[in-house]
Amino acid sequence: MSLENILGYVAAALTTFAFLPQAWRIYKTKDTNAISFWMYLIFSLGVFLWLVYGVFISAWPVVIANAITLLISLWILWMKINE
Amino acid sequence: MSLENILGYVAAALTTFAFLPQAWRIYKTKDTNAISFWMYLIFSLGVFLWLVYGVFISAWPVVIANAITLLISLWILWMKINE
């Protein structure tokens, strides 16, 4: 595997799983006050488009990474809406 | 420009500028309590690697989008650290 691919996979994993600690913090504290509704709405839409883009170019790592991020991002958005 | 490229540019713009409303909210309220330190630390690292990846494959849109995201993400991390 080339260095570029390794960089891409590690970057994808980090930017995907980075949202887990944020979801965990909200789950534990039930505090979403400082969380921006608009961020997670826009971000979820962007991640969804990345997912569609991944399908278009048949890049399954892109599809999988963004599907996971989308689920976490939508959950955070849901918790913010139900604040 | 192909549909795929349009999708990619729109997705990049959304996932980049999505962080602006979060930064704006923190700037206005000075409240970072619900924000996860670990999320923005891990996310900033991931975005930095995406930036390096973009340089490796000479994909300047990837470099620019992630450079902007990195600046915003580091600013949010800085505000969280100085809570």
Side-chain angles (χ1 to χ4, degrees):
Chain A
M1 190 187 285
S2 71
L3 178 59
E4 285 143 33
N5 280 352
I6 293 169
L7 260 176
Y9 282 117
V10 173
L14 289 174
T15 47
T16 295
F17 295 109
F19 288 87
L20 279 179
Q22 180 63 75
W24 176 249
R25 185 177 180 86
I26 292 171
Y27 176 75
K28 261 192 333 179
T29 63
K30 302 294 183 267
D31 173 11
T32 58
N33 190 55
I35 302 294
S36 162
F37 164 80
W38 289 105
M39 166 174 160
Y40 280 90
L41 182 69
I42 297 166
F43 189 77
S44 298
L45 182 58
V47 164
F48 174 71
L49 289 186
W50 275 124
L51 194 156
V52 174
Y53 175 78
V55 172
F56 260 79
I57 62 169
S58 309
W60 305 114
V62 174
V63 174
I64 293 163
N66 283 287
I68 296 169
T69 309
L70 185 58
L71 286 176
I72 305 171
S73 184
L74 286 176
W75 184 81
I76 293 172
L77 184 61
W78 173 257
M79 291 297 282
K80 178 66 184 177
I81 291 168
N82 290 290
E83 194 173 31
Chain B
M1 190 186 286
S2 72
L3 178 60
E4 284 144 34
N5 280 353
I6 293 169
L7 259 177
Y9 282 117
V10 173
L14 289 173
T15 48
T16 295
F17 294 110
F19 288 86
L20 279 179
Q22 180 64 75
W24 175 249
R25 186 178 179 84
I26 291 171
Y27 175 75
K28 263 192 331 182
T29 64
K30 303 294 183 267
D31 174 12
T32 57
N33 190 56
I35 302 293
S36 163
F37 165 81
W38 290 103
M39 167 176 159
Y40 281 91
L41 183 69
I42 297 167
F43 189 78
S44 298
L45 183 57
V47 165
F48 174 71
L49 290 185
W50 275 126
L51 195 155
V52 173
Y53 175 78
V55 172
F56 260 78
I57 63 170
S58 310
W60 304 114
V62 174
V63 174
I64 294 163
N66 284 287
I68 296 169
T69 308
L70 184 58
L71 286 177
I72 306 170
S73 184
L74 286 177
W75 184 82
I76 293 172
L77 183 62
W78 173 258
M79 291 298 282
K80 178 65 184 178
I81 292 167
N82 290 289
E83 195 173 33

